[in-house]
Amino acid sequence: MSAHFDLPLEEMKAYGYKIVDLIAEHWATMEEKKPVTSATREEMDSIFLQEAPEKATPANEVLDFVMDNVMKYSNVISHPKSYSFVPGPSNFVSTMADSLATGFNIFSGGWIVSPAAAELEIVTMNWLLKMFNFPVKKGGGIFTSGGSMANLTALVTARRIKCGDDFSKAVIYLSDQAHSSNIKAIRVLGFKKEQIRILPTDIEFRISINKLKNAIAKDRLEGLQPFCFIASAGTTNTGTVDPLDEIADICEEENLWFHVDGAYGGAGILSKKGARALRGIERADSLTVDPHKWFFQPYEIGCLLVKDSSWLSNTFSEKPEYLRDIEGNESEINFYDYGIQLTRRFRALKFYMSIKTYGLETFKKAVTYNIDLAEEVERMLRKSRNWEIISPATLAVINYRYNPIGLNYSEKEIDALNQEISKRVMESKEALLVTTILNKQVVLRMCLINPKTTIEDVRETFLLCNKFAEEILAEKK
Ligand SMILES: Cc1ncc(COP(=O)(O)O)c(C=O)c1O
């Protein structure tokens, strides 16, 4: 007797094949779909809201319902015209790898439970350490759910190593362009507002070195303990890289932990231009990169690299009695000792399988293509009478706004016009293109990290934007 409730083998296979067919079909036809969808809470409630059903429903019926409703109401983030936020281009091999990891329900916490999973995390981490010129032997790292968790893990470690148990006088520095996940992490860590210095950036959205030096000096005079600086290697807004070498010098002189948030921009290291922009990244104490962004992995996989793996184990290792039988020896890493999670999904598998299958060369080509594409878009816009570039192509991000020569609009009116262009593009569902704010101006932002996006896609999107802009201007007359 048991309470086993899974399907018989043949039914499992048929069900699985159907899902694989649906996924493969989606990948093959994605471009024919519209990237944007929308629905109100009322509309969603009317489709889905119900009590947990007591009785069973045939598996295929549930699957058909999900395909008709759930997928239909989810943006196609991997679509070539999905330009906004940080898109998730993903790749098919990793998609299947994730299914394998989930299918076998592999526990990626302790060595003894899944030595191969731990080994693959070590191996892929070594690949990443090498890519970023971190020491492979002494260095280490861990896969997390994403960039936010990698930043949190980094800051817990920084605090532990630099401040020990007493962080009452500790001060942390970051720029006004640093990603919001850093502020969230600082709040989670229990720092007070008075312990956080958000420093203004210069005209190119970089941290001002002078302001950083001033702030550190003032804090020291106040008897405080400057302990950490968070640099951005590819800000989310503009792709800007802070002056990493100069910051590294300051951190060395001042004994500050140097954390670099390269969640989206770090992957630029795979191209020559990107590597040039990221010079100095190798001097970080800790580095966040986010493979589910520009390393083309499906959600969720973030990564934290550190110069010295013992920093992680000294921060996170606990020895409860119920884990004593799986402790193992030092070379056999238990990744639960390197971060916050005990039970962890097997994230390394998709990274490993996709790089083995496609080759690093393919990834390098894709990142190089993306950077070149953004530069091509910049050249195209520079020749246009309608569009003004607000921040030039940097690590595949570009910001611009509609402001045609001869349009005598106030700043406020130009803001409203660009907001409305974005709104109409989104309503058309033809492209995912939203705004951000730079220098108090509303701008349209493209993050061109999808290797499937062509210059033709971008041209079509600009034609659409021009059409909506003309419509809006005509309506105002
Ligand atoms: C620079 C930067 N840091 C951190 C994050 C947060 O990463 P995640 O969304 O994977 O938690 C992002 C996300 O866009 C980012 O661009």
Side-chain angles (χ1 to χ4, degrees):
M1 273 287 283
S2 79
H4 174 81
F5 56 78
D6 270 328
L7 304 172
L9 178 62
E10 288 313 314
E11 277 180 49
M12 273 200 288
K13 283 188 178 174
Y15 187 68
Y17 294 152
K18 192 167 165 184
I19 291 179
V20 169
D21 285 350
L22 288 165
I23 296 171
E25 194 87 21
H26 172 69
W27 272 88
T29 60
M30 192 188 297
E31 277 132 81
E32 296 157 24
K33 297 178 190 169
K34 295 196 173 182
V36 181
T37 184
S38 69
T40 63
R41 175 66 192 262
E42 286 76 24
E43 285 166 335
M44 291 291 90
D45 277 356
S46 74
I47 297 173
F48 298 109
L49 198 62
Q50 66 169 135
E51 296 298 322
E54 207 56 59
K55 296 283 176 228
T57 312
N60 278 313
E61 205 176 296
V62 177
L63 178 58
D64 291 344
F65 174 78
V66 164
M67 289 310 299
D68 288 347
N69 297 290
V70 179
M71 301 312 164
K72 184 172 148 193
Y73 289 107
S74 303
N75 283 354
V76 186
I77 296 295
S78 309
H79 192 286
K81 287 185 181 166
S82 179
Y83 303 111
S84 284
F85 314 112
V86 179
S90 189
N91 76 81
F92 185 71
V93 166
S94 290
T95 305
M96 292 294 103
D98 247 359
S99 312
L100 267 181
T102 303
F104 282 75
N105 204 21
I106 291 169
F107 176 91
S108 212
W111 180 275
I112 285 180
V113 185
S114 324
E119 179 67 16
L120 285 200
E121 191 150 353
I122 294 170
V123 167
T124 47
M125 213 49 75
N126 286 349
W127 293 351
L128 284 158
L129 289 166
K130 206 164 161 214
M131 246 176 242
F132 288 99
N133 233 339
F134 269 44
V136 172
K137 250 205 165 134
K138 196 163 181 212
I142 183 167
F143 287 124
T144 60
S145 55
S148 303
M149 281 304 287
N151 283 334
L152 175 63
T153 309
L155 299 183
V156 178
T157 310
R159 188 183 65 181
R160 177 89 208 149
I161 302 302
K162 289 290 184 198
C163 310
D165 287 330
D166 181 8
F167 56 96
S168 55
K169 294 208 158 137
V171 182
I172 187 161
Y173 305 81
L174 66 167
S175 89
D176 60 12
Q177 292 296 309
H179 190 264
S180 57
S181 59
N182 293 292
I183 287 290
K184 268 198 208 176
I186 292 168
R187 204 179 302 139
V188 170
L189 283 166
F191 286 105
K192 298 191 190 111
K193 235 174 142 190
E194 309 84 82
Q195 294 176 284
I196 312 165
R197 304 280 176 269
I198 300 176
L199 302 171
T201 43
D202 63 18
I203 185 105
E204 288 179 323
F205 309 102
R206 282 190 186 89
I207 183 83
S208 153
I209 291 291
N210 182 44
K211 294 211 165 84
L212 173 60
K213 283 184 172 172
N214 281 345
I216 295 172
K218 289 255 157 42
D219 286 330
R220 288 231 190 271
L221 288 171
E222 293 288 320
L224 299 171
Q225 184 197 357
F227 89 101
C228 178
F229 179 76
I230 304 170
S232 304
T235 61
T236 316
N237 264 340
T238 57
T240 303
V241 180
D242 281 327
L244 301 177
D245 257 330
E246 286 175 78
I247 296 167
D249 288 342
I250 297 172
C251 289
E252 270 172 32
E253 280 160 31
E254 298 281 352
N255 188 25
L256 259 64
W257 183 280
F258 180 24
H259 175 60
V260 174
D261 180 358
Y264 113 79
I269 202 87
L270 292 175
S271 75
K272 284 204 177 93
K273 282 181 194 161
R276 231 176 289 135
L278 293 166
R279 207 174 292 141
I281 202 166
E282 71 286 351
R283 295 178 66 191
D285 291 309
S286 55
L287 167 65
T288 288
V289 285
D290 220 356
H292 66 201
K293 295 187 166 72
W294 212 0
F295 279 99
F296 315 111
Q297 302 300 313
Y299 304 136
E300 299 178 349
I301 179 171
C303 173
L304 175 68
L305 300 176
V306 289
K307 276 276 160 59
D308 183 338
S309 61
S310 72
W311 293 337
L312 293 177
S313 48
N314 289 343
T315 303
F316 293 103
S317 183
E318 287 293 331
K319 305 267 176 245
E321 63 282 2
Y322 37 81
L323 293 181
R324 56 195 278 274
D325 288 345
I326 64 168
E327 260 173 34
N329 65 38
E330 238 177 58
S331 70
E332 295 168 352
I333 297 173
N334 296 316
F335 278 92
Y336 58 63
D337 278 336
Y338 274 25
I340 296 161
Q341 279 181 277
L342 168 58
T343 300
R344 308 171 63 240
R345 57 178 289 111
F346 186 11
R347 298 189 176 98
L349 185 66
K350 55 185 163 186
F351 197 76
Y352 177 80
M353 283 178 68
S354 56
I355 290 196
K356 284 264 280 191
T357 306
Y358 298 113
L360 206 47
E361 182 183 84
T362 305
F363 284 65
K364 287 179 179 167
K365 244 189 227 161
V367 170
T368 304
Y369 170 81
N370 292 140
I371 289 177
D372 290 344
L373 176 66
E375 289 176 358
E376 194 175 348
V377 173
E378 181 182 332
R379 284 194 293 276
M380 184 176 95
L381 292 187
R382 295 253 184 237
K383 286 187 208 143
S384 142
R385 300 176 64 81
N386 292 342
W387 296 94
E388 172 187 27
I389 289 173
I390 304 299
S391 82
T394 311
L395 291 179
V397 171
I398 182 163
N399 288 278
Y400 50 85
R401 64 177 187 166
Y402 189 81
N403 187 15
I405 297 171
L407 182 76
N408 281 323
Y409 267 27
S410 67
E411 279 297 324
K412 230 171 147 187
E413 287 170 319
I414 299 171
D415 283 352
L417 174 58
N418 281 276
Q419 193 67 59
E420 186 61 24
I421 293 170
S422 163
K423 184 165 169 264
R424 294 193 188 190
V425 171
M426 293 293 280
E427 279 168 0
S428 77
K429 304 192 184 332
E430 295 290 343
L432 180 50
L433 183 66
V434 300
T435 65
T436 186
I437 295 194
L438 294 176
N439 299 329
K440 301 194 180 130
Q441 296 173 325
V442 173
V443 301
L444 296 161
R445 175 180 166 282
M446 271 185 177
C447 181
L448 292 160
I449 63 166
N450 191 333
K452 283 190 187 161
T453 306
T454 62
I455 190 71
E456 272 319 307
D457 291 323
V458 178
R459 272 206 193 101
E460 280 171 19
T461 303
F462 273 98
L463 285 177
L464 194 68
C465 290
N466 279 324
K467 185 185 105 175
F468 287 136
E470 280 156 25
E471 265 176 33
I472 299 161
L473 293 176
E475 285 164 18
K476 284 198 118 192
K477 274 185 190 153

